[in-house]
Structure formats: C-alpha cells, structure tokens
Amino acid sequence: DDIRKALQAADLMKLLEGHLGGPQAAAEHKFWKTQPVPQKEGEQETEGPIDEHKTPADVQPHPIALPAGFEWSIVDIKKDEEVRGECHTPSLSQIDEVHNLLTENYVEDDDAMFRFRYSREFLLWALTPPGYYKEWHIGVRVQKTGKLVGFISGIPVELRVRNNTFMNAEINFLCVHKKLRSKRLAPVLIKEVTRRVNLANIWQAIYTAGVRIPTPFSTCRYYHRSLNPAKLVDIGFSPLRKGETIARLVRKYNPGEQTKTPGFREMVPADVSQVAALLRRYLGRFDCAQLFNTDEDVEHWFISGMGKEANGKRENQVVWAYVVEDPTTNLITDVVSFYTLPSTIMQHPKYDCLNAAYMFYYASDAVFAPGASSDDAFTHDLKTQNLLDRRLNALVTDLLVMAKKHDFDVVNALTLLDNNAFLDEQMFGRGDGALVNYLYNWSTAPIDGGMSTTAQRKSSGVGVVML
Ligand code: MYA
C-alpha cells in the first residue's frame, strides 16, 4: 500500500509538472519550438490553425535533406516482394521490413520489460484505410545496404474538433533504429511527412505520444483488465498483493463462458450502414471525434480488420467487432470492438508474448432521447448517464467473455470516450502509463481526457481512438 501511495504521488507530480511547467516542460525543444503547435499550456484560447494560410504551391517540391549515407524510401506495404541492393534479403517484403524494424525498435515501457509487436496484418490494416496515400508511408534506408532504419506514417482522417471539421493526417509508427537514436533524425522524418501531407493540401495532423512535447490538447490514462492473472503475475505485469493468491485472482477475473446481452453477436458486413449511422451520432457527444463520414470507413475499420475465413477458421484477425441487434425490431442498438496488439516480453524464461486486446470504438443508442432522430439528440443528464452506464457495462461484460475465449491475457483501455462508465465496475486496474494527445497546426482549448470524473459527467471529451 505504501508503494502504491508513493507511486500515485509520483504520478501526481508528473501530472503537475506537465501542467505547471516542470523539468520536461522546461526542456529546450529545439525542433518543436519551430513548429506550428501551441508553445505553452494555457495559450490555446483561440480555435483554429496556427500557421498562415498556404497552398501546395508554397510547399518545397523536393524531399528534406537526409544526413549523408541515408536515403528516403517510400515503403510499398502492399507489395509482396522487393529486391533492393546487393545485400538486401530478396525474400523480405516491404511490410516485413517495417514489421521487423518496429518489432526490434518501437515503443517500450519505462522498465524495458515489454515492446509493442504490431503484426504485418495489423500494419496493413492501420496504414491502408480508404483514400490512403502510399507516399505517406515513409522509410529511411542505409544507402549502402538498403537496410530500413527509420519509419513514419500518416493516414488521412477527417476530424471534428468542437465546431470545426477538417481533414487531418493521423501520424503514427515514428521509429528510429536504436543504434541511430539522439541524432536528430526524428525531426527530419517529421518534416518530410509534413511536406508530403501539405502537398496533398492537408495542413493539420493528430498524433499521440508517451512523451510530453509542446503542447498536448488532452491526456488520457491507461487501464488494464486482467484475463490471465497467473501469467500477468508471472511476467511482472501485475503485482501479487500480500495475502492474495493466484487461485483467488483466477476466480475474480474469470469473465464466464457465455455472453448475456440478448441479441449480442459478431458484426457482419450487412451491419455496416446501421453501425456507421449509430457511431456517427454517438461520436457527436465528444469535443474531438473521428467522423467516419463514409460507410467504407466503417467497413474498413470494423469488417476488413476481422481477416478472412479459411478452412472454417478466421486467419490473422486484427479487430473483433460485436453488435447488439434488438430481437424485436432487428435494429442495431449497440456496437463494441477491440483490436489485438501483442507485446514482446523481453527476457522472460517462459513467455515471450503478451496477448493484449485494446478497446476500440463502440456506440450505444442509450444516449439518445427515445424517438429522437436528429444528430444532436443526445444528453448528458444523470438519468441518461445511468442508462448508458448499464448498457456499456453489459457490452463490456460480454466483450470480456469474447476476449477470454480468443485467448487474450489482458484488455487495455484508456480514459477516453465513455470508458469511465465501466472501467471500475469491470475491474480494470489503473495503469501507470499516460497517453498524450496532440494536434499539429491547430489550436484548441484543452479537452478533457477523462482522468477526473464525477457521477454526472463521466465521459471524456475525446472521441478518437488512435492505434
Ligand atoms: S509516437 C511513437 C514514437 N515512437 C517510439 O517511441 C518508438 C521508440 N523510439 C524511437 O524510435 C525514437 O526515440 C523516436 C525519437 C523516433 C521517437 N513524437 O531523432 P531525435 C522529438 C514527437 O534525436 P530519437 C508516434 O509515432 C524530441 O522532443 N516528437 O530523437 C507519433 C526532440 O525534439 P525537441 C518526438 O530519440 C509521432 C527530437 O524529437 C517524439 O532518436 C508523431 C529528438 O529527435 C515523439 N514520439 O528519435 C510525430 N520523440 O528537441 C509528430 C521524440 O524539439 C507528428 N521527439 O524536443 C507531427 C505532425 C506531422 C504532420 C503534419 C501534417 C500537417
């Protein structure tokens, strides 16, 4: 308990530092201070772009200069095989190369125990939504050998931030090989992706990071719901508290075998347009949300990620999506989903992979007044909140059953969307990681990341889930 209190106090210190301008905030930020981002917290009074208006004709037509010995390479992630240079392994596809770079060099936890292991199928799904730009999948190679040592990517995403709607690049998978760290390669990658996004006449971006740089518009906290407590304790992911036993934890976290909500079933392609309409209305509740303007977007993010069925078995599934179909009206009343993102367990004698599921988008018609049809007919009153709490808890109870069935060790969630309505009740434990959200070339007053809630207002302002 003492350790927990000390950790919480340390967390609080980190948060306070962030808000009041502690050591991290005071860093020089040689790169970020040159970029069109809010430079200080509290400076985000006006809503809108930070940079002066530009057109693609104002954008430098040539790639940003790289240090000698390196070259740019647009990674063709849909191409199966590519032979580059003499020393390049001919059998490695370009998606394999990105997968390998990330598997060895991408995000680790602070204690260097776990590292994200995005699968090839995941990367393909994450990087090729409708309207994606091939030239936003940017690699850096060693000229001599062709070895991929750096990567950054963007995908187009339409966002609403409060009352403004605009096209963004969602930037992700920024990675520099461990041997090339701290050489200011990251700013070069960021400038090159910015240039390519600007050439497409897009001037804003959204991204998340574990680090604090100038300047977040919101911060969310990670929560974790154990499904396989014996393994989680064994690998050091969860503590075994004094007086606790594994057997008791196994009983406590067993979600059961059967889902309980009448009409709960896997989402199928025929549900896409109903789910899209429900999701669009539901996401209208949040200050910042992804628009899912077309049904193709929903088809991509929910259905295509489920993978293809072969020999009666689903192969390479990335997303699991479920709906509730009202048994009397046959209308879809709810949708819930999660994606798989395993982590490599570094240096453990028995296990090398943590099978983690992450809560993705969901929606429920519980927030709409009965019979209402207009887009803004949702409410935040206590009665609605209680109904939503019940419905979301029922959905997540069923989701946990399915996640356990599919052999996940843990379900992770952030404090975004309406997640606070179920995190405690569904026994998600508060993690020590935070995820910080940023907008590029857009100023907006801070948005509630759901880290402090009241009975009446549990929802966050964040309606965008980044991968
Ligand atoms: S978040 C995931 C980031 N990836 C990892 O954490 C993987 C493991 N780490 C690495 O591969 C490296 O450490 C990286 C930094 C590549 C992260 N976001 O080259 P450096 C700034 C933004 O010497 P390295 C994701 O993918 C840092 O503050 N900036 O450092 C979203 C410093 O600048 P300044 C970051 O450690 C990415 C400078 O880089 C981050 O070798 C969104 C140091 O460069 C970070 N996560 O490499 C990117 N980490 O001195 C922004 C460090 O000023 C997109 N830095 O403080 C912006 C929008 C662009 C498009 C706009 C279109 C309109």
Side-chain angles (χ1 to χ4, degrees):
D1 252 17
D2 284 349
I3 293 174
R4 192 167 49 92
K5 273 184 207 144
L7 283 174
Q8 279 176 354
D11 270 354
L12 201 64
M13 280 313 292
K14 276 191 220 158
L15 281 176
L16 284 174
E17 278 170 9
H19 283 289
L20 303 176
Q24 278 207 39
E28 212 182 337
H29 295 307
K30 273 205 170 108
F31 169 64
W32 281 108
K33 75 178 176 200
T34 66
Q35 298 299 298
V37 292
Q39 292 297 324
K40 279 203 199 93
E41 242 152 290
E43 262 183 11
Q44 300 125 298
E45 300 113 17
T46 51
E47 302 278 316
I50 294 166
D51 236 351
E52 71 215 45
H53 176 76
K54 288 186 199 145
T55 71
D58 301 315
V59 179
Q60 180 188 316
H62 307 294
I64 309 288
L66 271 172
F70 297 97
E71 64 184 15
W72 292 112
S73 163
I74 294 310
V75 179
D76 188 348
I77 56 165
K78 284 206 168 171
K79 195 166 177 185
D80 280 334
E81 234 176 63
E82 172 83 344
V83 186
R84 289 190 79 268
E86 279 167 31
C87 309
H88 191 67
T89 320
S91 59
L92 221 51
S93 71
Q94 298 195 28
I95 189 114
D96 282 334
E97 291 184 281
V98 178
H99 166 78
N100 292 349
L101 174 73
L102 297 183
T103 300
E104 296 302 321
N105 301 281
Y106 201 51
V107 178
E108 297 174 6
D109 67 314
D110 286 344
D111 304 321
M113 286 167 72
F114 308 101
R115 183 164 57 232
F116 282 145
R117 196 197 288 179
Y118 287 90
S119 69
R120 293 160 185 80
E121 294 72 25
F122 191 111
L123 293 169
L124 205 55
W125 170 74
L127 294 176
T128 61
Y132 79 93
Y133 295 82
K134 203 173 126 184
E135 57 278 21
W136 293 5
H137 304 156
I138 305 168
V140 169
R141 292 181 189 276
V142 175
Q143 232 160 14
K144 258 197 193 146
T145 61
K147 187 179 167 65
L148 187 72
V149 290
F151 187 73
I152 193 165
S153 69
I155 52 168
V157 176
E158 199 162 8
L159 286 185
R160 179 184 50 73
V161 180
R162 300 200 162 89
N163 297 323
N164 295 292
T165 295
F166 49 93
M167 212 49 201
N168 282 260
E170 188 175 308
I171 306 296
N172 204 350
F173 306 117
L174 166 62
C175 184
V176 166
H177 193 286
K178 286 189 170 188
K179 293 214 166 115
L180 293 171
R181 294 277 166 87
S182 303
K183 298 186 191 308
R184 313 298 299 181
L185 206 51
V188 182
L189 280 158
I190 295 169
K191 281 194 259 181
E192 181 58 9
V193 77
T194 304
R195 192 185 69 84
R196 289 175 180 276
V197 170
N198 288 166
L199 282 173
N201 201 17
I202 296 171
W203 305 90
Q204 271 73 39
I206 186 163
Y207 47 102
T208 64
V211 294
R212 282 190 82 90
I213 44 178
T215 296
F217 69 88
S218 95
T219 304
C220 300
R221 180 165 292 285
Y222 272 112
Y223 276 71
H224 313 280
R225 168 55 158 89
S226 172
L227 288 173
N228 187 352
K231 178 171 170 184
L232 295 188
V233 168
D234 198 349
I235 63 175
F237 187 89
S238 313
L240 187 63
R241 299 225 157 79
K242 217 172 143 208
E244 195 57 274
T245 66
I246 296 288
R248 222 167 1 200
L249 290 180
V250 169
R251 270 198 307 278
K252 175 174 168 189
Y253 288 118
N254 179 6
E257 300 283 310
Q258 294 298 328
T259 62
K260 296 195 184 75
T261 312
F264 184 94
R265 62 165 172 79
E266 191 172 82
M267 181 176 167
V268 295
D271 300 324
V272 164
S273 66
Q274 272 201 70
V275 165
L278 179 63
L279 196 60
R280 280 177 209 129
R281 280 182 79 192
Y282 186 78
L283 291 177
R285 286 163 60 73
F286 304 93
D287 293 331
C288 168
Q290 183 166 347
L291 287 184
F292 290 103
N293 257 337
T294 68
D295 288 1
E296 287 71 39
D297 289 336
V298 173
E299 164 97 31
H300 176 83
W301 290 116
F302 291 77
I303 300 291
S304 84
M306 287 198 201
K308 298 224 161 51
E309 212 156 287
N311 309 324
K313 242 187 94 197
R314 196 69 66 58
E315 284 187 342
N316 304 323
Q317 186 157 2
V318 176
V319 172
W320 280 256
Y322 301 93
V323 294
V324 177
E325 179 179 335
D326 185 319
T328 49
T329 61
N330 293 115
L331 292 175
I332 305 288
T333 57
D334 308 80
V335 58
V336 67
S337 62
F338 63 87
Y339 61 80
T340 170
L341 169 49
S343 276
T344 300
I345 307 168
M346 286 133 78
Q347 299 172 346
H348 192 273
K350 189 159 149 208
Y351 299 107
D352 84 326
C353 185
L354 173 66
N355 295 322
Y358 286 72
M359 292 289 305
F360 194 39
Y361 284 98
Y362 55 81
S364 169
D365 75 0
V367 289
F368 309 126
S373 60
S374 78
D375 277 27
D376 53 6
F378 52 79
T379 149
H380 284 294
D381 66 22
L382 197 53
K383 198 167 141 235
T384 313
Q385 183 67 56
N386 287 340
L387 180 62
L388 182 65
D389 281 9
R390 282 204 302 281
R391 290 271 287 273
L392 291 185
N393 274 288
L395 274 179
V396 176
T397 303
D398 287 347
L399 178 146
L400 293 173
V401 172
M402 299 314 295
K404 178 76 184 167
K405 251 191 194 139
H406 291 289
D407 222 20
F408 285 96
D409 299 321
V410 62
V411 178
N412 296 329
L414 287 156
T415 49
L416 43 65
L417 291 168
D418 281 301
N419 290 1
N420 284 303
F422 62 77
L423 291 175
D424 286 344
E425 199 170 325
Q426 298 301 320
M427 297 189 287
F428 281 75
R430 183 179 180 276
D432 50 16
L435 194 66
V436 193
N437 301 308
Y438 301 92
L439 286 163
Y440 184 94
N441 192 24
W442 192 268
S443 166
T444 191
I447 291 178
D448 180 357
M451 298 213 295
S452 54
T453 60
T454 64
Q456 185 129 12
R457 167 114 199 173
K458 289 184 180 168
S459 67
S460 74
V462 181
V464 52
V465 184
M466 282 176 270
L467 304 171

